[in-house]
Every structure is written in C-alpha cells, then in structure tokens.
Amino acid sequence: MMSPDKFRKLQAEAELIVAHAGMGSILTALEFRKPIIIMPRDHTRGEHRNEHQSATAARFANTPGLYVVRDEAELLDRLNHLSDMVASQGVSRKAPEEFVSQLRAFIEKERPSSRVWTLPWRRNESSAAKR
C-alpha cells in the first residue's frame, strides 16, 4: 500500500504501465505519455461483476500506446516485445475549451425548475396516509 501521491510519482517515472482496463489507469498512462498494457478483468472468472472492462478495452484497442491482452500468455508475449511498443500520444488533464463552452451553455439554458419532485413511492405513501 502507498499513498496516491507516491503511486502517481511512480507512474510518472515508469517506462511502462501494466494494469487492468480501468479508466483511471488508461487516462493516467495517456496523461504521462506512457505505453500501457491493459488486461481487462473477466467476470466469467469471477474477477469482476460484469464485462465493462472488456468494453473499455475494445473501445481503446486502436489507441496508440495502449496494448490490450486477454490472458497471461498474451501478457507474456507482449512483455517479450517491449521494443515494439510506442508511448501514447498523451491527453490533457483538462477538458477541451469547446466542450466546456458547450456544457456551460447547456447548463445555463437548461436551468432546473424550482419544482419539488416527489418520488412515486413517496406519493403513494402520502396518499395512503391521507385516507
């Protein structure tokens, strides 16, 4: 176990990151421009609750600097070919200004109403209580 700051420092200094297919691991590798090997956790082996990591791996499979492996044999093969790996192209820690502007415009246009919403089961309880 180590502090998040120490772990982040080690990631920044690493030549390669090997991780599960979690978005935090992927984004950190992209941010630090490090090659990353990801091996999605497999729910059929009891490693996770569903296949969301496989979906993440599929989405990022063609990302430069990101290498997907499905099992231990593929992992060992990839590790034996480190010289073929390239670093990621990087990603900013901040959202693009165009996205921020569009999000800001949406929020300002779509202000929530002051109406108080009642949850359906609460409405039924209060109706029942009045009877």
Side-chain angles (χ1 to χ4, degrees), residues 92-128:
S92 173
R93 291 189 78 196
K94 297 181 180 180
E97 187 55 42
E98 181 181 350
F99 172 79
V100 173
S101 295
Q102 289 177 3
L103 181 60
R104 185 174 287 120
F106 175 79
I107 291 170
E108 290 172 358
K109 178 181 175 190
E110 301 291 330
R111 293 191 187 276
S113 69
S114 59
R115 179 178 177 194
V116 176
W117 292 93
T118 305
L119 300 173
W121 59 87
R122 297 270 186 214
R123 190 170 28 243
N124 291 341
E125 289 173 6
S126 62
S127 298

Side-chain angles (χ1 to χ4, degrees), residues 7-117:
F7 186 60
R8 189 164 169 78
K9 182 178 184 291
L10 290 172
Q11 289 172 310
E13 295 171 355
E15 292 181 31
L16 166 72
I17 296 173
V18 178
H20 64 108
M23 284 304 302
S25 301
I26 293 168
L27 291 174
T28 299
L30 292 173
E31 176 189 350
F32 289 136
R33 298 177 188 260
K34 305 291 179 176
I36 182 171
I37 299 172
I38 61 169
M39 189 162 95
R41 292 181 178 167
D42 183 353
H43 92 286
T44 63
R45 294 194 279 181
E47 298 171 348
H48 224 297
R49 66 186 180 280
N50 60 34
E51 286 295 317
H52 75 278
Q53 287 201 0
S54 291
T56 300
R59 166 60 182 85
F60 285 92
N62 296 318
T63 302
L66 191 145
Y67 303 88
V68 178
V69 298
R70 297 289 175 181
D71 57 36
E72 295 83 356
E74 285 185 27
L75 175 60
L76 290 173
D77 184 56
R78 176 50 63 192
L79 289 171
N80 284 324
H81 295 92
L82 292 178
S83 62
D84 298 340
M85 297 176 71
V86 298
S88 74
Q89 297 173 345
V91 67
S92 173
R93 291 189 78 196
K94 297 181 180 180
E97 187 55 42
E98 181 181 350
F99 172 79
V100 173
S101 295
Q102 289 177 3
L103 181 60
R104 185 174 287 120
F106 175 79
I107 291 170
E108 290 172 358
K109 178 181 175 190
E110 301 291 330
R111 293 191 187 276
S113 69
S114 59
R115 179 178 177 194
V116 176
W117 292 93

